[in-house]
Amino acid sequence: MDSAASALRYWERKQEVVANNLANVSTDGFKAQRVFARLLDGIKPVAEATSDLSTGNLKQTGNAMDAAIDGPGFFVAQTPSGERYTRGGSLRLDEKHQLVDGDGRPLLGVKKNGPLVLTDAPVEITSAGDVKQNGQVVDRLRMEQAPKGAELSREGESLWVPPQNRQPVAPADRNVKQGFLEESNVNSMTALVDMVAVQRAYANVQKSVVEMDQIDQTITTQLARPL
Amino acid sequence: MNPALRTAATGMAAQQTRTEVIANNLANVNTTGFKRRRAQFEDLLYQTMQGAQTLGTSETNTAPAIQIGRGTRLTAIQRLDTQGALEQTGRSLDVAVDGEGFFQVQLPNGQTGYTRDGSFQISDQGVLVTSDGYQIGSGIKIPSDVTDVTISPTGVVTGNKGPGGDSTELGRIELARFANPSGLMAMGQNLFAATPASGEAEVGYPQDEGMGRLVQGQLEGSNVEIVQEMVDMISAQRAYELNSKAVKAADEMSQTATDMVR
């Protein structure tokens, strides 16, 4: 019974994750989550989630202030709760002429290790993350990533919490694309199939709970009857 | 209640908003100076369902914390300020801005509005106004005896006094531009208002310091592309359907759970 309850909880978790993936099929820069079961004590399955960090489809927008990262790595944004990772998106200038993301969080540059202050001139972003105006490099955007195998923690609002040991992405390994947006990497077909599979599995476990209950009932009513 | 229900509902709401934005774009496919909009979303906060736990006695054998998201929300409806196609109208008071910049419009409440719609007219007081009757800039007087009004690429308005008369300068149209044009607030009637997000208007003459040039006898069409909107609409509709399936699945799972108790 205990292990069946644990299994039901696992399938519920998986359903919640699949529902969140599906809700975010149109969220630019969203990374799908996958759920696996791990056997605890040999009988109890518990849920384990990982993020699929593969690059989503890059959609050309022609908007010079849209920036996407083709490949691994994150931009570093300044938020009230500290530095956070973001995959880019629709950038703009705020009232202080700082380069900010769609939610108004300044992106940090290498030179001053602070926000980039730009003028009204057209902005050019190179694949190495250099921000240029009038042909002059203003600053280079900071780009970092988590060490291989480390799981990044999600904060919502398209933000990620930086890991313990951060690794800068070398300029040669960067591939920033100006005029592109990264679409969500949720595969709606896989999610749909997962959803059906989860539902069926859940129903099967439920059936076995009912059957075990019936066996218990038989034991108590038939065997415990005085001879 | 199964939280997946609510998560899927946020997904459905998001796709509905997206469809509304697309419908507005399509409705304005022939609106002079209209800029297409795009809905943008972000994921909601994550809930840590089970903390990181050590399995067995070995410390290296740990299961990481599992974080479950609670759906999506709208962050912004972004206006895409790309140039619309210039359409030849042949009307001398139609002016398009080719490049950056907005015409400045005097609103009845004393504030300044900004527009890309250059289908101008002459009011009963002989002043250059927009098609809704709002005065352009500080007012350019065009007397009734003036013919052949020309507007140069740099904004100089000239006209001939009387038949075969001398050409005289009547005024000059100025343009305004912003550090962050997508921060402007749309007021309807093709008008925009400055906001703290857009920054202060920077006023200058056309073709001066990065301002666009004026083109007489043409209007800037909407930058909506029907094919793009159609593709977006189909994808929004499918995503809506998918999320409704997730609602159904979550509901049926709750039903299954309840069925355990006979």
mmCIF file of all heavy atoms in Angstrom, chain A residues 20 23-24 26-27 30 33 38 40 47 66 90 95 97 103 120 154 157-158 188 199 202 206 213, chain B residues 15 18 38 40 42-46 50 55 61 67 71-72 179 196 202 242 252-253 256 260 262:
data_model
loop_
_atom_site.group_PDB
_atom_site.id
_atom_site.type_symbol
_atom_site.label_atom_id
_atom_site.label_comp_id
_atom_site.label_asym_id
_atom_site.label_seq_id
_atom_site.Cartn_x
_atom_site.Cartn_y
_atom_site.Cartn_z
ATOM 1 N N ASN A 20 2.813 22.197 -16.518
ATOM 2 C CA ASN A 20 3.597 23.441 -16.531
ATOM 3 C C ASN A 20 4.335 23.590 -17.861
ATOM 4 O O ASN A 20 4.416 24.681 -18.419
ATOM 5 C CB ASN A 20 4.580 23.461 -15.370
ATOM 6 C CG ASN A 20 5.299 24.787 -15.259
ATOM 7 O OD1 ASN A 20 4.663 25.839 -15.282
ATOM 8 N ND2 ASN A 20 6.614 24.749 -15.184
ATOM 9 N N ALA A 23 1.790 24.708 -20.365
ATOM 10 C CA ALA A 23 1.362 26.094 -20.150
ATOM 11 C C ALA A 23 2.401 27.064 -20.695
ATOM 12 O O ALA A 23 2.093 28.201 -21.012
ATOM 13 C CB ALA A 23 1.126 26.355 -18.669
ATOM 14 N N ASN A 24 3.644 26.590 -20.816
ATOM 15 C CA ASN A 24 4.725 27.474 -21.248
ATOM 16 C C ASN A 24 5.199 27.196 -22.672
ATOM 17 O O ASN A 24 6.338 27.502 -23.015
ATOM 18 C CB ASN A 24 5.897 27.381 -20.270
ATOM 19 C CG ASN A 24 5.608 28.122 -18.978
ATOM 20 O OD1 ASN A 24 5.530 29.345 -18.973
ATOM 21 N ND2 ASN A 24 5.411 27.390 -17.902
ATOM 22 N N SER A 26 4.454 28.816 -25.207
ATOM 23 C CA SER A 26 4.686 30.091 -25.917
ATOM 24 C C SER A 26 5.564 31.042 -25.115
ATOM 25 O O SER A 26 5.625 32.227 -25.425
ATOM 26 C CB SER A 26 3.368 30.793 -26.207
ATOM 27 O OG SER A 26 2.503 29.957 -26.879
ATOM 28 N N THR A 27 6.207 30.558 -24.055
ATOM 29 C CA THR A 27 7.056 31.417 -23.237
ATOM 30 C C THR A 27 8.461 31.412 -23.832
ATOM 31 O O THR A 27 9.131 30.389 -23.810
ATOM 32 C CB THR A 27 7.079 30.913 -21.789
ATOM 33 O OG1 THR A 27 5.745 30.806 -21.325
ATOM 34 C CG2 THR A 27 7.858 31.846 -20.890
ATOM 35 N N PHE A 30 11.820 29.525 -22.429
ATOM 36 C CA PHE A 30 11.460 28.523 -21.420
ATOM 37 C C PHE A 30 12.159 27.201 -21.721
ATOM 38 O O PHE A 30 12.327 26.815 -22.870
ATOM 39 C CB PHE A 30 9.942 28.313 -21.405
ATOM 40 C CG PHE A 30 9.488 27.303 -20.375
ATOM 41 C CD1 PHE A 30 9.389 27.656 -19.047
ATOM 42 C CD2 PHE A 30 9.190 26.003 -20.744
ATOM 43 C CE1 PHE A 30 8.993 26.729 -18.094
ATOM 44 C CE2 PHE A 30 8.785 25.066 -19.802
ATOM 45 C CZ PHE A 30 8.692 25.430 -18.476
ATOM 46 N N GLN A 33 10.948 20.789 -18.429
ATOM 47 C CA GLN A 33 11.416 19.969 -17.313
ATOM 48 C C GLN A 33 11.058 18.523 -17.605
ATOM 49 O O GLN A 33 10.006 18.246 -18.187
ATOM 50 C CB GLN A 33 10.714 20.385 -16.028
ATOM 51 C CG GLN A 33 11.430 21.457 -15.247
ATOM 52 C CD GLN A 33 10.657 21.784 -13.993
ATOM 53 O OE1 GLN A 33 9.478 22.073 -14.039
ATOM 54 N NE2 GLN A 33 11.333 21.740 -12.860
ATOM 55 N N ARG A 38 12.923 7.567 -9.200
ATOM 56 C CA ARG A 38 14.064 6.888 -8.599
ATOM 57 C C ARG A 38 13.493 5.982 -7.506
ATOM 58 O O ARG A 38 12.600 6.385 -6.753
ATOM 59 C CB ARG A 38 15.016 7.906 -7.988
ATOM 60 C CG ARG A 38 16.218 7.269 -7.323
ATOM 61 C CD ARG A 38 16.878 8.263 -6.399
ATOM 62 N NE ARG A 38 17.689 9.229 -7.143
ATOM 63 C CZ ARG A 38 18.993 9.073 -7.340
ATOM 64 N NH1 ARG A 38 19.629 8.027 -6.872
ATOM 65 N NH2 ARG A 38 19.673 9.985 -7.983
ATOM 66 N N LEU A 40 13.322 4.295 -4.147
ATOM 67 C CA LEU A 40 13.838 4.510 -2.806
ATOM 68 C C LEU A 40 13.591 3.227 -2.024
ATOM 69 O O LEU A 40 12.486 2.685 -2.069
ATOM 70 C CB LEU A 40 13.068 5.680 -2.191
ATOM 71 C CG LEU A 40 13.734 6.458 -1.071
ATOM 72 C CD1 LEU A 40 14.996 7.129 -1.562
ATOM 73 C CD2 LEU A 40 12.763 7.504 -0.551
ATOM 74 N N ALA A 47 9.924 11.171 -7.271
ATOM 75 C CA ALA A 47 10.126 11.958 -8.485
ATOM 76 C C ALA A 47 11.458 12.689 -8.447
ATOM 77 O O ALA A 47 11.933 13.101 -7.390
ATOM 78 C CB ALA A 47 8.989 12.957 -8.640
ATOM 79 N N ASP A 66 16.087 42.386 -29.983
ATOM 80 C CA ASP A 66 15.852 41.009 -29.562
ATOM 81 C C ASP A 66 17.179 40.274 -29.592
ATOM 82 O O ASP A 66 17.920 40.370 -30.568
ATOM 83 C CB ASP A 66 14.864 40.298 -30.498
ATOM 84 C CG ASP A 66 13.438 40.783 -30.296
ATOM 85 O OD1 ASP A 66 13.184 41.401 -29.249
ATOM 86 O OD2 ASP A 66 12.607 40.546 -31.176
ATOM 87 N N SER A 90 13.534 40.041 -25.417
ATOM 88 C CA SER A 90 13.356 41.388 -25.958
ATOM 89 C C SER A 90 13.997 42.383 -25.015
ATOM 90 O O SER A 90 13.485 42.640 -23.942
ATOM 91 C CB SER A 90 11.874 41.705 -26.095
ATOM 92 O OG SER A 90 11.328 40.880 -27.060
ATOM 93 N N GLU A 95 14.566 54.120 -18.461
ATOM 94 C CA GLU A 95 14.618 55.583 -18.423
ATOM 95 C C GLU A 95 16.012 56.120 -18.117
ATOM 96 O O GLU A 95 16.330 57.252 -18.415
ATOM 97 C CB GLU A 95 13.569 56.151 -17.453
ATOM 98 C CG GLU A 95 13.607 55.596 -16.061
ATOM 99 C CD GLU A 95 12.597 54.452 -15.894
ATOM 100 O OE1 GLU A 95 12.540 53.558 -16.753
ATOM 101 O OE2 GLU A 95 11.890 54.453 -14.899
ATOM 102 N N HIS A 97 18.566 54.874 -19.521
ATOM 103 C CA HIS A 97 19.326 54.467 -20.710
ATOM 104 C C HIS A 97 20.172 53.214 -20.471
ATOM 105 O O HIS A 97 21.178 53.004 -21.126
ATOM 106 C CB HIS A 97 20.190 55.613 -21.246
ATOM 107 C CG HIS A 97 19.397 56.549 -22.110
ATOM 108 N ND1 HIS A 97 19.865 57.075 -23.272
ATOM 109 C CD2 HIS A 97 18.148 57.007 -21.976
ATOM 110 C CE1 HIS A 97 18.942 57.847 -23.818
ATOM 111 N NE2 HIS A 97 17.882 57.816 -23.030
ATOM 112 N N ASP A 103 11.651 42.639 -18.521
ATOM 113 C CA ASP A 103 11.062 42.986 -17.230
ATOM 114 C C ASP A 103 11.775 44.157 -16.570
ATOM 115 O O ASP A 103 11.542 44.444 -15.392
ATOM 116 C CB ASP A 103 11.116 41.777 -16.281
ATOM 117 C CG ASP A 103 9.908 40.881 -16.482
ATOM 118 O OD1 ASP A 103 8.857 41.410 -16.861
ATOM 119 O OD2 ASP A 103 10.031 39.667 -16.278
ATOM 120 N N ASP A 120 21.139 56.852 -27.751
ATOM 121 C CA ASP A 120 20.002 56.573 -28.621
ATOM 122 C C ASP A 120 20.404 55.945 -29.954
ATOM 123 O O ASP A 120 19.552 55.565 -30.737
ATOM 124 C CB ASP A 120 19.227 57.867 -28.894
ATOM 125 C CG ASP A 120 18.445 58.301 -27.670
ATOM 126 O OD1 ASP A 120 18.170 57.427 -26.848
ATOM 127 O OD2 ASP A 120 18.143 59.483 -27.554
ATOM 128 N N ARG A 154 15.351 27.013 -10.629
ATOM 129 C CA ARG A 154 14.500 27.959 -11.346
ATOM 130 C C ARG A 154 13.864 28.947 -10.384
ATOM 131 O O ARG A 154 13.527 28.587 -9.266
ATOM 132 C CB ARG A 154 13.365 27.209 -12.036
ATOM 133 C CG ARG A 154 13.791 26.337 -13.151
ATOM 134 C CD ARG A 154 12.738 25.322 -13.471
ATOM 135 N NE ARG A 154 13.203 24.487 -14.556
ATOM 136 C CZ ARG A 154 12.750 24.576 -15.802
ATOM 137 N NH1 ARG A 154 11.778 25.412 -16.088
ATOM 138 N NH2 ARG A 154 13.244 23.814 -16.745
ATOM 139 N N GLU A 157 9.669 33.772 -13.766
ATOM 140 C CA GLU A 157 9.925 35.017 -14.483
ATOM 141 C C GLU A 157 11.128 34.878 -15.404
ATOM 142 O O GLU A 157 11.897 35.813 -15.591
ATOM 143 C CB GLU A 157 10.114 36.189 -13.519
ATOM 144 C CG GLU A 157 8.923 36.382 -12.602
ATOM 145 C CD GLU A 157 9.047 37.585 -11.701
ATOM 146 O OE1 GLU A 157 10.155 38.120 -11.578
ATOM 147 O OE2 GLU A 157 8.021 37.977 -11.126
ATOM 148 N N SER A 158 11.303 33.697 -15.969
ATOM 149 C CA SER A 158 12.394 33.402 -16.906
ATOM 150 C C SER A 158 13.781 33.570 -16.280
ATOM 151 O O SER A 158 14.749 33.804 -16.988
ATOM 152 C CB SER A 158 12.294 34.262 -18.173
ATOM 153 O OG SER A 158 11.024 34.121 -18.740
ATOM 154 N N SER A 188 5.480 19.866 -27.836
ATOM 155 C CA SER A 188 4.093 19.665 -27.403
ATOM 156 C C SER A 188 3.625 18.234 -27.665
ATOM 157 O O SER A 188 2.787 17.717 -26.941
ATOM 158 C CB SER A 188 3.171 20.681 -28.057
ATOM 159 O OG SER A 188 3.424 20.783 -29.413
ATOM 160 N N GLN A 199 -1.709 9.548 -17.201
ATOM 161 C CA GLN A 199 -3.093 9.302 -16.818
ATOM 162 C C GLN A 199 -3.385 7.804 -16.735
ATOM 163 O O GLN A 199 -4.005 7.332 -15.777
ATOM 164 C CB GLN A 199 -3.991 9.946 -17.856
ATOM 165 C CG GLN A 199 -5.246 10.518 -17.281
ATOM 166 C CD GLN A 199 -6.130 11.044 -18.395
ATOM 167 O OE1 GLN A 199 -5.641 11.421 -19.457
ATOM 168 N NE2 GLN A 199 -7.402 11.069 -18.143
ATOM 169 N N TYR A 202 -1.525 6.197 -13.791
ATOM 170 C CA TYR A 202 -2.170 6.588 -12.540
ATOM 171 C C TYR A 202 -3.393 5.700 -12.285
ATOM 172 O O TYR A 202 -3.595 5.180 -11.192
ATOM 173 C CB TYR A 202 -2.585 8.060 -12.646
ATOM 174 C CG TYR A 202 -3.047 8.681 -11.354
ATOM 175 C CD1 TYR A 202 -2.122 9.123 -10.425
ATOM 176 C CD2 TYR A 202 -4.389 8.855 -11.081
ATOM 177 C CE1 TYR A 202 -2.526 9.722 -9.250
ATOM 178 C CE2 TYR A 202 -4.817 9.448 -9.905
ATOM 179 C CZ TYR A 202 -3.874 9.880 -8.990
ATOM 180 O OH TYR A 202 -4.274 10.480 -7.831
ATOM 181 N N GLN A 206 -4.061 2.994 -9.290
ATOM 182 C CA GLN A 206 -5.290 3.135 -8.500
ATOM 183 C C GLN A 206 -6.011 1.806 -8.431
ATOM 184 O O GLN A 206 -6.502 1.394 -7.388
ATOM 185 C CB GLN A 206 -6.172 4.233 -9.118
ATOM 186 C CG GLN A 206 -7.423 4.548 -8.347
ATOM 187 C CD GLN A 206 -8.661 3.886 -8.963
ATOM 188 O OE1 GLN A 206 -8.528 3.042 -9.850
ATOM 189 N NE2 GLN A 206 -9.812 4.238 -8.460
ATOM 190 N N ASP A 213 -6.970 -3.554 -1.491
ATOM 191 C CA ASP A 213 -7.981 -3.280 -0.469
ATOM 192 C C ASP A 213 -8.971 -4.437 -0.401
ATOM 193 O O ASP A 213 -9.365 -4.874 0.688
ATOM 194 C CB ASP A 213 -8.684 -1.973 -0.818
ATOM 195 C CG ASP A 213 -9.729 -1.597 0.216
ATOM 196 O OD1 ASP A 213 -9.472 -1.868 1.409
ATOM 197 O OD2 ASP A 213 -10.773 -1.046 -0.159
ATOM 198 N N GLN B 15 -2.798 31.786 -24.034
ATOM 199 C CA GLN B 15 -3.060 31.622 -25.462
ATOM 200 C C GLN B 15 -4.230 32.477 -25.906
ATOM 201 O O GLN B 15 -4.269 32.953 -27.042
ATOM 202 C CB GLN B 15 -3.316 30.144 -25.792
ATOM 203 C CG GLN B 15 -2.132 29.231 -25.527
ATOM 204 C CD GLN B 15 -0.863 29.686 -26.212
ATOM 205 O OE1 GLN B 15 -0.880 30.328 -27.255
ATOM 206 N NE2 GLN B 15 0.283 29.368 -25.628
ATOM 207 N N ARG B 18 -2.899 35.889 -26.413
ATOM 208 C CA ARG B 18 -2.118 35.902 -27.645
ATOM 209 C C ARG B 18 -3.051 36.040 -28.856
ATOM 210 O O ARG B 18 -2.772 36.806 -29.776
ATOM 211 C CB ARG B 18 -1.336 34.585 -27.727
ATOM 212 C CG ARG B 18 -0.105 34.663 -28.576
ATOM 213 C CD ARG B 18 0.678 33.387 -28.409
ATOM 214 N NE ARG B 18 1.330 33.048 -29.653
ATOM 215 C CZ ARG B 18 1.603 31.814 -30.017
ATOM 216 N NH1 ARG B 18 1.272 30.802 -29.247
ATOM 217 N NH2 ARG B 18 2.213 31.583 -31.151
ATOM 218 N N ARG B 38 3.079 42.045 -30.117
ATOM 219 C CA ARG B 38 3.401 40.659 -29.831
ATOM 220 C C ARG B 38 3.259 40.462 -28.329
ATOM 221 O O ARG B 38 3.759 41.267 -27.544
ATOM 222 C CB ARG B 38 4.855 40.434 -30.251
ATOM 223 C CG ARG B 38 5.365 39.047 -30.089
ATOM 224 C CD ARG B 38 6.734 38.944 -30.716
ATOM 225 N NE ARG B 38 7.720 39.762 -29.989
ATOM 226 C CZ ARG B 38 8.943 39.982 -30.425
ATOM 227 N NH1 ARG B 38 9.337 39.521 -31.571
ATOM 228 N NH2 ARG B 38 9.784 40.685 -29.713
ATOM 229 N N GLN B 40 4.104 38.684 -24.867
ATOM 230 C CA GLN B 40 5.244 37.959 -24.324
ATOM 231 C C GLN B 40 4.912 37.386 -22.963
ATOM 232 O O GLN B 40 4.237 38.019 -22.167
ATOM 233 C CB GLN B 40 6.448 38.882 -24.224
ATOM 234 C CG GLN B 40 7.030 39.117 -25.589
ATOM 235 C CD GLN B 40 8.217 40.016 -25.547
ATOM 236 O OE1 GLN B 40 8.233 40.959 -24.764
ATOM 237 N NE2 GLN B 40 9.194 39.737 -26.358
ATOM 238 N N GLU B 42 6.123 34.792 -19.440
ATOM 239 C CA GLU B 42 7.210 34.226 -18.653
ATOM 240 C C GLU B 42 6.627 33.200 -17.692
ATOM 241 O O GLU B 42 5.418 33.190 -17.438
ATOM 242 C CB GLU B 42 7.979 35.318 -17.899
ATOM 243 C CG GLU B 42 7.150 36.017 -16.851
ATOM 244 C CD GLU B 42 7.891 37.173 -16.207
ATOM 245 O OE1 GLU B 42 8.921 37.601 -16.720
ATOM 246 O OE2 GLU B 42 7.410 37.645 -15.181
ATOM 247 N N ASP B 43 7.487 32.326 -17.182
ATOM 248 C CA ASP B 43 6.987 31.293 -16.280
ATOM 249 C C ASP B 43 6.719 31.865 -14.894
ATOM 250 O O ASP B 43 7.302 32.869 -14.497
ATOM 251 C CB ASP B 43 7.929 30.067 -16.224
ATOM 252 C CG ASP B 43 9.386 30.452 -16.103
ATOM 253 O OD1 ASP B 43 9.683 31.654 -16.071
ATOM 254 O OD2 ASP B 43 10.242 29.547 -16.044
ATOM 255 N N LEU B 44 5.822 31.217 -14.164
ATOM 256 C CA LEU B 44 5.487 31.677 -12.811
ATOM 257 C C LEU B 44 6.486 31.119 -11.809
ATOM 258 O O LEU B 44 7.391 30.366 -12.152
ATOM 259 C CB LEU B 44 4.085 31.211 -12.444
ATOM 260 C CG LEU B 44 2.931 31.902 -13.162
ATOM 261 C CD1 LEU B 44 1.625 31.271 -12.755
ATOM 262 C CD2 LEU B 44 2.915 33.378 -12.843
ATOM 263 N N LEU B 45 6.292 31.458 -10.555
ATOM 264 C CA LEU B 45 7.202 30.997 -9.508
ATOM 265 C C LEU B 45 7.208 29.473 -9.402
ATOM 266 O O LEU B 45 6.212 28.825 -9.701
ATOM 267 C CB LEU B 45 6.782 31.577 -8.166
ATOM 268 C CG LEU B 45 6.967 33.080 -8.025
ATOM 269 C CD1 LEU B 45 6.521 33.519 -6.662
ATOM 270 C CD2 LEU B 45 8.413 33.452 -8.270
ATOM 271 N N TYR B 46 8.318 28.957 -8.955
ATOM 272 C CA TYR B 46 8.439 27.506 -8.791
ATOM 273 C C TYR B 46 8.286 27.137 -7.333
ATOM 274 O O TYR B 46 8.734 27.866 -6.449
ATOM 275 C CB TYR B 46 9.795 27.027 -9.329
ATOM 276 C CG TYR B 46 9.786 26.983 -10.823
ATOM 277 C CD1 TYR B 46 9.924 28.138 -11.573
ATOM 278 C CD2 TYR B 46 9.566 25.790 -11.496
ATOM 279 C CE1 TYR B 46 9.857 28.110 -12.953
ATOM 280 C CE2 TYR B 46 9.493 25.751 -12.872
ATOM 281 C CZ TYR B 46 9.646 26.915 -13.588
ATOM 282 O OH TYR B 46 9.567 26.866 -14.957
ATOM 283 N N GLN B 50 9.830 18.664 -2.969
ATOM 284 C CA GLN B 50 10.532 17.850 -1.981
ATOM 285 C C GLN B 50 11.969 18.326 -2.001
ATOM 286 O O GLN B 50 12.563 18.474 -3.056
ATOM 287 C CB GLN B 50 10.415 16.353 -2.300
ATOM 288 C CG GLN B 50 11.027 15.925 -3.607
ATOM 289 C CD GLN B 50 10.505 14.564 -4.069
ATOM 290 O OE1 GLN B 50 9.401 14.155 -3.769
ATOM 291 N NE2 GLN B 50 11.326 13.859 -4.830
ATOM 292 N N LEU B 55 20.104 9.754 -0.028
ATOM 293 C CA LEU B 55 19.566 8.412 -0.144
ATOM 294 C C LEU B 55 20.540 7.435 0.483
ATOM 295 O O LEU B 55 21.716 7.442 0.147
ATOM 296 C CB LEU B 55 19.344 8.044 -1.607
ATOM 297 C CG LEU B 55 18.447 8.997 -2.389
ATOM 298 C CD1 LEU B 55 18.418 8.603 -3.843
ATOM 299 C CD2 LEU B 55 17.045 9.004 -1.823
ATOM 300 N N ASN B 61 25.073 9.944 -2.872
ATOM 301 C CA ASN B 61 23.836 9.460 -3.465
ATOM 302 C C ASN B 61 22.662 10.328 -3.009
ATOM 303 O O ASN B 61 21.948 9.983 -2.087
ATOM 304 C CB ASN B 61 23.636 7.994 -3.044
ATOM 305 C CG ASN B 61 22.627 7.303 -3.924
ATOM 306 O OD1 ASN B 61 22.251 7.839 -4.966
ATOM 307 N ND2 ASN B 61 22.203 6.139 -3.507
ATOM 308 N N GLN B 67 11.469 20.923 -8.336
ATOM 309 C CA GLN B 67 10.761 22.203 -8.398
ATOM 310 C C GLN B 67 9.643 22.081 -9.413
ATOM 311 O O GLN B 67 9.862 21.636 -10.537
ATOM 312 C CB GLN B 67 11.707 23.294 -8.875
ATOM 313 C CG GLN B 67 12.764 23.651 -7.880
ATOM 314 C CD GLN B 67 13.504 24.865 -8.367
ATOM 315 O OE1 GLN B 67 14.171 24.817 -9.392
ATOM 316 N NE2 GLN B 67 13.375 25.961 -7.651
ATOM 317 N N GLY B 71 2.814 27.472 -13.975
ATOM 318 C CA GLY B 71 2.197 28.012 -15.179
ATOM 319 C C GLY B 71 2.908 29.205 -15.765
ATOM 320 O O GLY B 71 4.105 29.399 -15.566
ATOM 321 N N THR B 72 2.152 30.029 -16.460
ATOM 322 C CA THR B 72 2.743 31.121 -17.224
ATOM 323 C C THR B 72 1.932 32.398 -17.004
ATOM 324 O O THR B 72 0.801 32.337 -16.539
ATOM 325 C CB THR B 72 2.755 30.762 -18.725
ATOM 326 O OG1 THR B 72 3.387 31.799 -19.452
ATOM 327 C CG2 THR B 72 1.349 30.574 -19.270
ATOM 328 N N ALA B 179 14.181 57.302 -26.653
ATOM 329 C CA ALA B 179 15.202 56.287 -26.393
ATOM 330 C C ALA B 179 14.593 54.893 -26.511
ATOM 331 O O ALA B 179 15.213 53.976 -27.014
ATOM 332 C CB ALA B 179 15.772 56.477 -24.986
ATOM 333 N N PRO B 196 7.337 57.420 -18.584
ATOM 334 C CA PRO B 196 8.689 57.306 -18.019
ATOM 335 C C PRO B 196 9.499 56.214 -18.712
ATOM 336 O O PRO B 196 10.716 56.330 -18.865
ATOM 337 C CB PRO B 196 8.423 56.938 -16.560
ATOM 338 C CG PRO B 196 7.071 57.469 -16.270
ATOM 339 C CD PRO B 196 6.294 57.360 -17.550
ATOM 340 N N GLU B 202 12.881 63.638 -27.853
ATOM 341 C CA GLU B 202 14.014 64.397 -28.352
ATOM 342 C C GLU B 202 13.553 64.973 -29.688
ATOM 343 O O GLU B 202 13.220 64.231 -30.610
ATOM 344 C CB GLU B 202 15.181 63.420 -28.545
ATOM 345 C CG GLU B 202 16.521 64.049 -28.728
ATOM 346 C CD GLU B 202 17.539 62.986 -29.104
ATOM 347 O OE1 GLU B 202 17.475 61.883 -28.531
ATOM 348 O OE2 GLU B 202 18.359 63.253 -29.980
ATOM 349 N N LEU B 242 -4.153 22.126 -26.513
ATOM 350 C CA LEU B 242 -3.282 21.264 -25.705
ATOM 351 C C LEU B 242 -3.507 21.502 -24.217
ATOM 352 O O LEU B 242 -3.617 20.569 -23.430
ATOM 353 C CB LEU B 242 -1.818 21.571 -26.015
ATOM 354 C CG LEU B 242 -1.221 20.901 -27.230
ATOM 355 C CD1 LEU B 242 0.173 21.452 -27.460
ATOM 356 C CD2 LEU B 242 -1.155 19.413 -27.004
ATOM 357 N N GLU B 252 -9.531 14.154 -14.808
ATOM 358 C CA GLU B 252 -9.784 12.716 -14.796
ATOM 359 C C GLU B 252 -8.926 11.998 -13.768
ATOM 360 O O GLU B 252 -9.344 11.000 -13.182
ATOM 361 C CB GLU B 252 -9.576 12.130 -16.200
ATOM 362 C CG GLU B 252 -10.747 12.460 -17.102
ATOM 363 C CD GLU B 252 -10.534 12.069 -18.557
ATOM 364 O OE1 GLU B 252 -9.545 11.358 -18.846
ATOM 365 O OE2 GLU B 252 -11.339 12.484 -19.378
ATOM 366 N N MET B 253 -7.715 12.519 -13.554
ATOM 367 C CA MET B 253 -6.863 11.916 -12.522
ATOM 368 C C MET B 253 -7.461 12.114 -11.140
ATOM 369 O O MET B 253 -7.432 11.207 -10.304
ATOM 370 C CB MET B 253 -5.452 12.476 -12.588
ATOM 371 C CG MET B 253 -4.573 11.685 -13.525
ATOM 372 S SD MET B 253 -3.012 12.471 -13.829
ATOM 373 C CE MET B 253 -2.195 12.270 -12.283
ATOM 374 N N THR B 256 -10.132 9.613 -10.799
ATOM 375 C CA THR B 256 -9.565 8.289 -10.524
ATOM 376 C C THR B 256 -9.217 8.158 -9.046
ATOM 377 O O THR B 256 -9.496 7.137 -8.412
ATOM 378 C CB THR B 256 -8.292 8.084 -11.372
ATOM 379 O OG1 THR B 256 -8.610 8.378 -12.725
ATOM 380 C CG2 THR B 256 -7.770 6.664 -11.278
ATOM 381 N N MET B 260 -11.049 5.600 -5.628
ATOM 382 C CA MET B 260 -10.413 4.602 -4.769
ATOM 383 C C MET B 260 -11.298 4.269 -3.583
ATOM 384 O O MET B 260 -11.303 3.157 -3.085
ATOM 385 C CB MET B 260 -9.063 5.109 -4.273
ATOM 386 C CG MET B 260 -7.940 4.719 -5.195
ATOM 387 S SD MET B 260 -6.349 5.025 -4.477
ATOM 388 C CE MET B 260 -6.205 6.757 -4.612
ATOM 389 N N ARG B 262 -14.682 3.446 -2.143
ATOM 390 C CA ARG B 262 -15.977 2.967 -2.627
ATOM 391 C C ARG B 262 -17.038 3.150 -1.554
ATOM 392 O O ARG B 262 -16.753 3.171 -0.368
ATOM 393 C CB ARG B 262 -15.877 1.488 -3.022
ATOM 394 C CG ARG B 262 -15.080 1.306 -4.293
ATOM 395 C CD ARG B 262 -14.652 -0.133 -4.407
ATOM 396 N NE ARG B 262 -13.812 -0.468 -3.266
ATOM 397 C CZ ARG B 262 -13.710 -1.702 -2.783
ATOM 398 N NH1 ARG B 262 -14.409 -2.688 -3.276
ATOM 399 N NH2 ARG B 262 -12.909 -1.940 -1.777
#
